[in-house]
Structures are given as C-alpha cells and as structure tokens.
Amino acid sequence: MNLAGLPWFGPRPAARRVSSRTPSTARRTLEGNERRRAAPAARAGARSAATAPASTTPASRALTRPAAPPARDVLQRLRHQPDYAILIAVVALTAIGILMVYSSSALKAYIQQDDTLAIVGPQILWAGVGLIALAVTMRLDYRLLRLVSLPGYLTAIVLLVLVFVPTFNRVVGGSARWIVVGPLPAVHPAEVAKLALIIYLAHWLSSRGPLVKSFRSGTIPFLVIALPLIGLVFLEPDLGTTVVI
C-alpha cells in the first residue's frame, strides 16, 4: 500500500542533491556571496560620509585647524619675565658710573660753584629718565619698534651730520661731539646712533631671515647699514664710541 499517495501524508520530498564541489570551492563561493551582499552597504556608507559636513567626520575634525586665539591672548602669551641678570647689570653700571663721576668732580664743583652735585646732578637726572624709559619700554610690545626703526636710523644720521655744523655743535677738547640748540639740553648724537643702529639692525635681520648667511645678501648690506654711522662717529672724532659700535 502506497502511503505517500494518501492526502494526509502529503507528497514525497524531493531527493537532496549531493554537491560535487570541493570544500575550498564552496568556501570561495560563500565568501563571494558575502562580499556581494556587503558591497551595497559599503557604497551607501561612502556616499553618506562624502556628503556629510566636514566638521562631523573624525578625519576632518583631526585636520581642522583650531580657531586662532584673540589678539589680546597672543600678546599676553608673547610676554615674558624680564632678564634680571641684564636688569641688575644695567642698574649696577649706571650707579657705578654716577659714583665715579661724583668722586672725580665733587671737589671741582665745590670750588667753582660751591655745590658738590653741580656736575654729577645732570647725570643723576638723566639716569632717572633712563630708568623710567626702561620701565615703560618693558611694558610695550617689542614689535612696535619696527615702526620707528627706519625713522630712528635716519634721525641718527642727520644728528651726526649736524655735529659738523659750527652753528649747532659744541667743541670740547678739540672734538665736536655735542649738539646744542638754543636753551635745550645738549645732545650727544653718538648715543642716539648706537640705539638707532641696534633697533634697525634687529628689524633688518629678522626680515632677511636665512639670507643673512650669505656674503652678498648678508655681510655686504650689513656693512652698508653700519659703516655710515661708524664713519660719522669716527670723524668727530670719538674713537671710544666707534669701538663700542
């Protein structure tokens, strides 16, 4: 009796086909099917990453430059503590210089003017003015000196030239080193020239960069800048200031 033909038993299931493929072939087929199923998801992810804003992707966040701090923060960050070794050396040399002037001029000033501070007094006054200027300059941004580097250099040359004009100069010991204009205090242009040359050369060296290493772009322009001031100071004549410069 054929039970498979009865309705409550249902049809007989088809016989399972035995695959003739080897295990390696089956594994490759399975991997290919998995890659084909994963390809649409990968393409969709790439499209969403490409269309997403740059700030939302991790790579863009890593490459995005941080926002620049305010200008006030930059200037405060550039400030630093003063070099106390140089500060102490400047104050000590100023004090020693005033003491030496006083010790060598006190008797002469007392005999001539009945005042031992008659000669050293102006030195003390200018030393106080210099200390005030030092304190003010320490609070300023040093980059502002670039604005006065060229005007200061040209002013120093003009003052050194005026030393040779008899109307303005004062000859002491056969050397014209001072300028006197009316009731104004006498000015020593060589001192102005030293400061102006330092500021201008600092600006020039920072702007030239690596070019200062060569003879043509570094040494020759340096001599062209420094020699006019050195030559004018030497012609006063003032050999000591010339050597210092």
Side-chain angles (χ1 to χ4, degrees), residues 164 174-177 232-240 242:
F164 301 99
S175 177
R177 303 178 184 179
L232 290 173
V233 174
F234 180 77
L235 293 176
E236 289 182 0
D238 190 352
L239 183 60
T242 302

Side-chain angles (χ1 to χ4, degrees), residues 48-152:
S48 61
T51 57
S55 60
T56 60
T57 59
S60 62
R61 286 196 299 269
L63 297 177
T64 301
R65 171 181 269 175
R72 181 179 301 177
D73 295 339
V74 174
L75 294 179
Q76 290 180 355
R77 184 164 50 85
L78 291 176
R79 293 178 182 176
H80 54 82
Q81 294 295 327
D83 192 335
Y84 290 102
I86 296 178
L87 183 60
I88 294 174
V90 169
V91 175
L93 289 175
T94 303
I96 293 173
I98 292 175
L99 181 61
M100 294 297 102
V101 172
Y102 176 74
S103 63
S104 62
S105 63
L107 183 59
K108 180 180 179 180
Y110 181 76
I111 295 174
Q112 293 179 352
Q113 304 182 24
D114 196 21
D115 184 6
T116 57
L117 300 177
I119 297 176
V120 76
Q123 302 292 330
I124 298 175
L125 177 62
W126 285 111
V129 173
L131 291 177
I132 294 174
L134 173 64
V136 173
T137 307
M138 289 172 60
R139 300 298 187 274
L140 295 178
D141 186 2
Y142 68 93
R143 293 172 296 183
L144 296 177
L145 296 177
R146 298 179 180 180
L147 303 177
V148 299
S149 60
L150 182 58

Side-chain angles (χ1 to χ4, degrees), residues 192-204:
V192 179
K194 287 191 292 186
L195 182 60
L197 183 61
I198 291 172
I199 295 175
Y200 185 77
L201 284 178
H203 181 200
W204 178 77

